[in-house]
Amino acid sequence: MGVVAWLKSLFVLQLLIGFVFVVSGLIINFTQLCTCVLWPFNKQLYRKINTRLSYSLWSQLVMLLEWWSGTDCTLYTDQATVDKFGKEHVIIILNHNYEIDFLCGWTICERYGVLGSSKVLAKHELLKVPLVGWTWYFLEIVFCKRKWEEDRETVFSGLNRLRDYPEYMWFLLYCEGTRFTEKKHQISMQVAESKGLPKLKYHLLPRTKGFTTTLQCLKGTVKAVYDVTLNFKDKQNPTLLGIVSGKKYKADLSVRRFPVEEIPDDEKECANWLHKLYQEKDALQEHYEKEGSYPGPTIIPKRRIWTLLNFLFWATLLLSPLINFAWDVFVSGSPLLIIGFMIFLIVASVAVRRLIGVTEVNKTGSSYGNVEANLRHRAALCAVILLFTKKNLIKKQKKMNEILKISSMQHWEVYRDITIDIT
């Protein structure tokens, strides 16, 4: 392991990155809350400000993928399609097989200038997640409970509200509804068999209602549908924790553009079109499994430096006072302060880990993480702090002993002088 890789694996650095993301996110959320006063007077100004604020938060995660992890993203598409990126409102259909598939999508959004205005049809539970759900709320993300009877009015009103959005937006849809696991796949294919639909090998059966409703509400605003199929070289199974640890991945994305005019208006025919699209996506995945790549030309979009500059700004703003405070605590030698600071670090690490856990799931559908490694990191950190504290206390004790010794000698000299004077 090289020096750079070793530094990226250090729990302390990972915790500092998490601290910057969480605290900057809370500041951004508070600022977004303050911008709500603009909505009744100038809705478009409110949207433009919140687009930039959202970019300032999400680009920190993109920075982790691009600059910290160094993950490569290669597009398999033609230049004519790429030339339209960031210049039109579109619906994105992305397969949901990986923990960081949303992050790869955000990376492409960032490189073509639509990260801050990107949208998603999200499950309602995410609204309660700090930073993620709160930022999406101010960004007018459409939340649904996956029960059409309850969602109908909310989804229609939320989508219709976006028809006059001033920034070019990419509206992401996970038509499978949930992340792919073997268990979910078995159940999904049983449903496909019962409905007489072709079985899929690498995808779940798409839920057509969300797609047909989104297309219906945004027609006239949205110009095209981009079908994106994501895979990783060498059958890698990337995780957000791996990205935070600096692990590099190689992502391949097949992108196909379908003008809205080519998609049927009738709801049933539109649903059939989506089923056929997923059969084609399955064939693309089959090709990738055999060949290790998608068919067609490749384009590697260049990284932009704005994500790195944005993170450095927040890191400089937030870490300087934190490091100064930590140093003052440790040199104070106060066991109470040091133990309190250690508790703060542990709580912060658990909070960051739980935030990562929002997206973390393995192929069987259960939450996981390298718990043993994390515990070792925490134990090592605590041991270092305690050792530092012990050494500090020993130094202070030695210094106190010297003071007492000098003080005792001085008292003896005074006592001796008094005794001589009396005698």
Side-chain angles (χ1 to χ4, degrees):
M1 181 185 292
V3 176
V4 175
W6 175 75
L7 287 173
K8 290 179 179 180
S9 68
L10 289 179
F11 169 69
V12 174
L13 288 183
Q14 296 171 12
L15 183 59
L16 291 177
I17 292 173
F19 173 82
V20 171
F21 178 75
V22 170
V23 177
S24 65
L26 293 174
I27 294 173
I28 288 170
N29 285 162
F30 177 75
T31 307
Q32 288 179 308
L33 180 62
C34 294
T35 63
C36 289
V37 298
L38 294 173
W39 180 270
F41 308 103
N42 195 330
K43 181 173 67 174
Q44 302 296 36
L45 177 60
Y46 165 89
R47 286 170 162 174
K48 289 181 179 180
I49 293 174
N50 275 276
T51 294
R52 274 78 185 166
L53 290 172
S54 299
Y55 175 87
S56 188
L57 183 61
W58 301 142
S59 66
Q60 294 181 49
L61 296 179
V62 174
M63 184 282 300
L64 284 177
L65 186 80
E66 292 185 328
W67 298 94
W68 183 260
S69 161
T71 293
D72 297 322
C73 292
T74 301
L75 300 179
Y76 287 77
T77 189
D78 57 273
Q79 189 61 49
T81 298
V82 172
D83 289 341
K84 291 182 171 59
F85 285 179
K87 299 176 182 177
E88 58 183 356
H89 296 290
V90 299
I91 294 173
I92 305 289
I93 296 177
L94 179 63
N95 57 317
H96 204 1
N97 293 55
Y98 301 98
E99 185 179 312
I100 66 165
D101 46 28
F102 77 96
L103 195 50
C104 293
W106 276 358
T107 298
I108 302 304
C109 286
E110 199 286 324
R111 295 186 185 187
Y112 292 98
V114 292
L115 175 59
S117 57
S118 60
K119 311 293 180 188
V120 64
L121 188 62
K123 56 185 179 181
H124 192 266
E125 293 84 350
L126 289 175
L127 182 59
K128 302 175 184 177
V129 178
L131 308 184
V132 177
W134 299 349
T135 304
W136 276 353
Y137 174 81
F138 294 113
L139 202 57
E140 299 173 76
I141 294 298
V142 182
F143 294 94
C144 62
K145 298 179 180 178
R146 300 180 183 178
K147 296 179 181 179
W148 184 243
E149 295 76 17
E150 299 180 25
D151 291 331
R152 178 189 296 272
E153 185 177 345
T154 303
V155 170
F156 270 104
S157 62
L159 289 171
N160 286 323
R161 193 165 54 241
L162 295 175
R163 292 177 63 88
D164 63 342
Y165 206 79
E167 309 276 342
Y168 286 123
M169 63 177 176
W170 286 9
F171 195 102
L172 172 63
L173 286 178
Y174 287 120
C175 292
E176 295 165 88
T178 184
R179 189 174 303 157
F180 183 98
T181 67
E182 291 300 333
K183 184 177 180 179
K184 293 174 184 176
H185 181 251
Q186 292 175 7
I187 297 172
S188 180
M189 291 307 98
Q190 290 172 4
V191 174
E193 186 175 4
S194 67
K195 292 184 176 182
L197 296 170
K199 291 186 178 182
L200 303 173
K201 186 176 180 180
Y202 301 99
H203 299 84
L204 305 179
L205 195 67
R207 300 183 181 186
T208 60
K209 197 66 178 180
F211 174 72
T212 56
T213 301
T214 303
L215 192 62
Q216 177 187 347
C217 291
L218 295 181
K219 206 156 192 176
T221 299
V222 165
K223 300 299 181 184
V225 172
Y226 293 172
D227 171 51
V228 182
T229 308
L230 170 67
N231 223 317
F232 289 86
K233 293 288 189 186
D234 305 320
K235 297 184 178 180
Q236 294 173 310
N237 185 21
T239 64
L240 189 55
L241 196 58
I243 295 295
V244 173
S245 300
K247 187 174 181 179
K248 183 176 182 178
Y249 302 104
K250 293 183 179 180
D252 289 336
L253 299 96
S254 170
V255 183
R256 300 182 297 162
R257 182 181 183 274
F258 298 91
V260 170
E261 295 79 18
E262 296 180 4
I263 303 174
D265 291 326
D266 180 74
E267 184 175 351
K268 186 176 181 180
E269 292 181 5
C270 186
N272 292 333
W273 181 89
L274 184 64
H275 281 298
K276 183 181 178 182
L277 181 74
Y278 265 79
Q279 293 167 32
E280 295 172 358
K281 287 173 76 70
D282 224 46
L284 279 173
Q285 284 284 47
E286 183 71 30
H287 185 280
Y288 195 94
E289 286 288 321
K290 293 179 179 179
E291 305 295 334
S293 63
Y294 295 113
T298 61
I299 295 174
I300 303 178
K302 293 182 179 180
R303 290 184 298 181
R304 305 197 307 171
I305 200 169
W306 304 116
T307 57
L308 183 60
L309 292 178
N310 176 73
F311 177 79
L312 291 176
F313 162 76
W314 284 112
T316 302
L317 182 68
L318 299 175
L319 291 183
S320 297
L322 176 67
I323 293 173
N324 289 335
F325 174 74
W327 177 253
D328 290 340
V329 168
F330 291 146
V331 298
S332 70
S334 169
L336 186 62
L337 283 177
I338 293 173
I339 292 173
F341 191 74
M342 287 172 58
I343 293 173
F344 164 76
L345 290 178
I346 293 172
V347 171
S349 67
V350 171
V352 172
R353 187 64 185 79
R354 288 294 297 273
L355 195 60
I356 291 174
V358 171
T359 66
E360 192 171 79
V361 66
N362 64 12
K363 288 294 182 180
T364 61
S366 59
S367 295
Y368 78 100
N370 197 345
V371 178
E372 185 181 351
N374 283 333
L375 290 175
R376 285 201 300 268
H377 285 150
R378 286 162 175 75
L381 176 64
C382 292
V384 169
I385 294 173
L386 288 173
L387 182 62
F388 184 88
T389 306
K390 184 178 179 181
K391 287 183 177 180
N392 228 3
L393 290 173
I394 290 172
K395 287 180 180 179
K396 286 186 175 291
Q397 186 64 44
K398 287 181 178 179
K399 189 174 181 180
M400 183 61 69
N401 289 340
E402 290 175 1
I403 293 172
L404 290 172
K405 185 177 179 181
I406 293 171
S407 178
S408 298
M409 291 178 63
Q410 289 175 343
H411 284 133
W412 165 249
E413 289 174 356
V414 171
Y415 173 76
R416 184 190 60 186
D417 293 340
I418 294 173
T419 305
I420 291 172
D421 288 342
I422 292 175
T423 56

